[in-house]
């Protein structure tokens, strides 16, 4: 318990209670808050990095944008980490002086942000109204001075507040009804006359907002006058389009402030958590949305961001890949030169279409102009080069691309034999290939290192989290109930599912180890799809468990006996085996006579089946029908279970009892959403959006479907289930310090 220091006029620490009235939802509220903070950090750090490394972007507009990004980083980092600690770990205590420092940084950088937005409005005014004087007016010296003035104004206005608050005697307790040290929330705890603080705080806020907004509006009045005087409508759109990002940033910053102020004055009877959520939204939304607005609307920044993830020049691939295959096409054509030219032209068109689908038409145009086109034209122009030289020209043009493409040479197979010399052996006969090559994520090969880092972290979390859950449930006899038995099985399946794909994916992304043997590929395919089928069955069993627990609580242990649990588990496993065995057999017995490059990061059955010489539609239809039956029936029974659960819950007379009953289903609902939503999106894109959605998006969706549930399931159950996180904490304390906190 916190005790105030009676020898001082202020307590040693305050208690931040979070969002009053919504304490029971803190875990769920933390998810969007954490996501927003992650986006804010990534977005603003990316902006700062791009502006820092590119000298072309060292212009006034981008320097002001860098200031805005730095301020947003400080604003979000001043409050969000402490808020997440409150939501996740109930770490509500904050030192008195730390509270004053947080308040000072929060208010000071909010004032700085307003000043930078005003400076950006001035920048737009000069760029549009005085374009010839832009560089002479907005010099580096002036930009530095503007930054210094913005900082000095904020510090000068906010420095008195901590000293004013320090002199108060806080006799109303140390509990702050807020999730951060907001000025007025702290003032309410003080005794004595606080009118000066109230007036000073309001006066500063009104002065800053009104003054800055007045000059921003004035700048845009001049801008509109200048734009409307332009003769061409296209020129008007172009000039005003330069202001769109800035207007979006202004709206994202000032709109929450205005709404929060109006709510405080007009709707005073509104629940406190509404006011606090609005105040928090003001700190959360601008840092998250500003880099997105500028990233989307500003071409230079958008191009730099996309260059980190997209392949702009095929020549770059040629210099980066670790092994370069040599394609030698020996021709023994007995056709005429005209027939040969026609065959070659047809092949080039099909190959170019494949390249455009994978890399984008714009990325290929330059390569076609500067690459194979010249070589082939030379060959066609001078037929004395011979057909062998023309075939070599085609092969040379494809150097460096083969590992990333699914190209089957379309020149007359009777007349052409292909020999591809790679590190891992290719097999272009009707026999079973010895190995496949997993590309990873086509089109994002140069982001593989970043993906590997994220994937490694997620795999570590998945292994540790699920192993902890299995260990805790196995060791603690009080947790060996139906609900926890199903959770233990779910954690085991998640370990199998993650370990089937993640180690190989990390090996591809980190080491470029693309090769996988034929048998290993189909073993991986079998385990991946069988594990997903088992997982959906377990989610249905867990829904049935919740139905019995809520609708028939007195018969819970009599219905869900160990024998019933064993029978359900065996049935779920057998069903998955029966479904997967024919599918694996069908795909493994297809004839593979072309490329063995799988355009995926694991052996997904459709990606592998596409390499077959025969029509893979039978296996694809079997997969679609089988998965539709399994998932469709499971989802239908889950929906029926929750329909009965809701009827039983809303039949309860007490609101508290209703909430308590529903809260026991929260973890299960969250896990179902994580499992079914990515799966449905992946299937929808694979079947209906394959011609419109980029290939790398399809592969990423399929990867997320296998990666997210094993990573987040133990976190959801660990945070939401009191018994689990208490036992996990006890186990960790026992392992680290040799004693259990539960026994203390």
């Amino acid at each position: 318990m916190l005790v105030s220091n009676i020898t001082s006029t202020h307590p040693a620490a305050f208690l931040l209670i979070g969002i009053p009235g919504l304490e029971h939802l803190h875990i769920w509220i933390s998810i969007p808050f954490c996501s927003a903070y992650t986006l804010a950090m990534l977005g603003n750090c990316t902006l700062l990095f791009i502006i820092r490394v590119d000298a072309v972007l060292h212009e006034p507009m981008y320097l002001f944008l860098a200031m805005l990004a730095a301020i947003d980083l400080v604003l979000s980092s001043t409050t969000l980490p402490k808020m997440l600690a409150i939501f996740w770990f109930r770490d509500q205590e904050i030192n008195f002086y730390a509270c004053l420092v947080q308040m000072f940084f929060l208010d000071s950088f909010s004032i700085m942000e307003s000043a930078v937005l005003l400076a950006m409005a001035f920048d737009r005014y000069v760029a549009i109204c005085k374009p010839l004087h832009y560089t002479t007016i907005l010099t580096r010296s002036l930009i530095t001075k503007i930054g210094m003035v913005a900082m000095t104004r904020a510090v000068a206005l906010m420095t008195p507040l901590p000293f004013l608050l320090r002199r108060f005697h806080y006799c109303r307790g140390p509990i702050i009804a807020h999730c951060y040290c907001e000025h007025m929330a702290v003032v309410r705890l003080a005794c004595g006359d606080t009118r000066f603080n109230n007036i000073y705080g309001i006066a500063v806020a009104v002065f800053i907002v009104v003054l800055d907004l007045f000059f921003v509006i004035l700048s845009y009045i001049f801008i509109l006058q200048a734009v409307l005087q332009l003769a061409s409508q296209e020129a008007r759109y172009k000039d005003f389009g330069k202001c769109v990002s800035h207007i979006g940033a202004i709206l994202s910053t000032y709109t929450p402030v205005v709404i929060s102020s109006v709510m405080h004055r007009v709707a005073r009877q509104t629940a406190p958590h509404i006011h606090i959520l609005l105040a928090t939204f003001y700190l959360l939304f601008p840092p998250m949305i500003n880099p997105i607005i500028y990233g989307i609307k500003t071409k230079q920044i958008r191009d730099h961001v996309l260059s980190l993830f997209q392949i702009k020049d095929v020549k770059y691939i040629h210099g980066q890949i670790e092994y370069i295959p040599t394609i030698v096409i020996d021709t023994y054509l007995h056709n005429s030169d005209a027939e040969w030219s026609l065959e070659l032209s047809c092949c080039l068109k099909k190959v170019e279409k494949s390249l455009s689908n994978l890399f984008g038409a714009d990325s290929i145009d330059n390569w076609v102009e500067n690459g194979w086109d010249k070589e082939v034209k030379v060959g066609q122009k001078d037929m004395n080069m011979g057909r062998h030289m023309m075939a070599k020209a085609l092969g040379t043009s494809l150097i460096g691309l083969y590992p990333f493409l699914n190209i089957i040479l379309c020149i007359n197979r009777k007349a052409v034999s292909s020999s591809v010399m790679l590190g891992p052996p290719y097999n272009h006969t009707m026999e079973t290939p010895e190995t496949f090559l997993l590309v990873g994520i086509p089109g994002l090969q140069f982001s593989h290192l970043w993906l590997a880092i994220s994937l490694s972290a997620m795999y570590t979390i998945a292994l540790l989290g699920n192993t902890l859950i299995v260990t805790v449930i196995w060791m603690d006899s009080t947790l060996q109930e139906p609900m926890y038995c199903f959770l233990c099985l779910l954690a085991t399946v998640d370990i199998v599912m993650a370990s089937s794909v993640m180690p190989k994916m990390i090996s591809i992304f980190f080491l470029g180890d693309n090769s996988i043997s034929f048998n290993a590929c189909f073993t991986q395919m079998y385990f991946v799809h069988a594990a997903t089928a088992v997982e959906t069955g377990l989610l249905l069993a867990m829904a049935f468990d919740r139905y019995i627990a809520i609708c028939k609580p007195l018969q819970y242990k009599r219905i869900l006996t160990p024998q019933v649990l064993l029978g359900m588990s065996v049935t779920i496993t057998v069903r998955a085996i029966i479904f997967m065995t024919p599918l694996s057999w069908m795909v493994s017995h297809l004839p593979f006579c072309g490329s063995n490059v799988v355009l995926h990061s694991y052996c997904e059955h459709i990606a592998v089946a596409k390499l077959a010489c025969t029509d893979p539609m039978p296996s694809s239809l079997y997969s679609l029908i089988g998965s539709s039956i399994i998932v469709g029936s499971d989802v239908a029974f889950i929906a029926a279970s929750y329909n009965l659960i809701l009827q039983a819950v809303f039949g309860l007379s007490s609101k508290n009892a209703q909430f308590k009953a529903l809260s026991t289903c929260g973890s299960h609902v969250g896990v179902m959403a994580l499992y079914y939503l990515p799966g449905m999106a992946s299937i929808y894109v694979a079947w209906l959006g394959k011609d419109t959605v980029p290939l790398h998006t399809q592969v990423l969706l399929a990867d997320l479907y296998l990666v997210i549930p094993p990573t987040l399931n133990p976190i959801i159950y660990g945070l939401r289930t009191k018994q689990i996180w208490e036992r996990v904490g006890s186990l960790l304390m026992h392992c680290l310090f040799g004693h259990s906190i539960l026994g203390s």
Side-chain angles (χ1 to χ4, degrees), residues 34-55:
C34 183
S35 302
Y37 182 52
T38 305
L39 285 174
M41 293 296 290
L42 287 174
N44 288 293
C45 287
T46 302
L47 280 181
L48 288 171
F49 174 76
I50 289 172
I51 294 170
R52 172 68 181 83
V53 299
D54 194 341

Side-chain angles (χ1 to χ4, degrees), residues 469-488:
I469 284 181
V470 172
T471 304
V472 165
I473 294 172
W474 184 267
M475 293 176 61
D476 194 335
S477 58
T478 62
L479 295 181
Q480 291 173 10
E481 298 178 4
M483 170 184 168
Y484 299 110
C485 290
F486 287 132
L487 178 56
C488 184

Side-chain angles (χ1 to χ4, degrees), residues 428-473:
H428 291 274
T429 68
M430 295 295 288
E431 299 173 359
T432 300
E434 294 180 10
T435 60
F436 288 110
L437 282 183
L438 295 168
V439 167
I441 300 179
L444 295 183
Q445 282 85 356
F446 302 110
S447 298
H448 274 181
L449 180 60
W450 302 106
L451 291 169
I453 295 169
S454 304
L455 197 63
S456 299
M458 295 175 78
Y459 184 47
T460 304
I461 293 170
L463 279 183
L464 286 176
N466 288 294
T467 303
L468 273 174
I469 284 181
V470 172
T471 304
V472 165
I473 294 172

Side-chain angles (χ1 to χ4, degrees), residues 28 483 536 538-551 633-651 658 660-673 676 716-717 720:
W28 298 108
M483 170 184 168
T536 183
L538 285 174
L539 290 175
L540 171 58
M542 295 170 85
F544 179 67
D545 167 85
R546 292 298 84 206
Y547 160 71
I548 299 296
I550 293 172
C551 299
S633 60
D634 288 353
V635 170
F637 283 116
I638 289 171
S641 298
Y642 273 95
N643 181 42
L644 295 172
I645 288 170
L646 288 174
Q647 288 179 11
V649 167
F650 290 121
Q658 290 179 0
K660 187 177 179 182
L662 280 177
S663 66
T664 61
C665 304
S667 301
H668 181 243
V669 172
V671 168
M672 284 195 301
Y676 288 117
I716 290 173
Y717 272 101
R720 287 286 303 166

Side-chain angles (χ1 to χ4, degrees), residues 563-579:
Q563 292 77 13
V564 171
L565 297 182
L566 180 62
M568 292 172 72
S569 303
V570 171
T571 302
I572 290 167
T573 306
V574 170
R575 183 185 71 164
I577 292 171
I578 291 173
F579 164 67

Side-chain angles (χ1 to χ4, degrees), residues 568-614:
M568 292 172 72
S569 303
V570 171
T571 302
I572 290 167
T573 306
V574 170
R575 183 185 71 164
I577 292 171
I578 291 173
F579 164 67
M580 271 311 302
T581 302
L583 179 62
S584 297
W585 185 89
M586 291 168 72
V587 179
S588 64
H589 282 74
L590 289 171
F592 296 95
C593 59
S595 166
N596 62 351
V597 179
V598 181
L599 292 175
H600 218 292
S601 49
Y602 65 91
C603 288
E604 195 266 341
H605 76 277
I606 294 178
V608 175
K610 284 179 180 176
L611 304 182
C613 300
T614 57

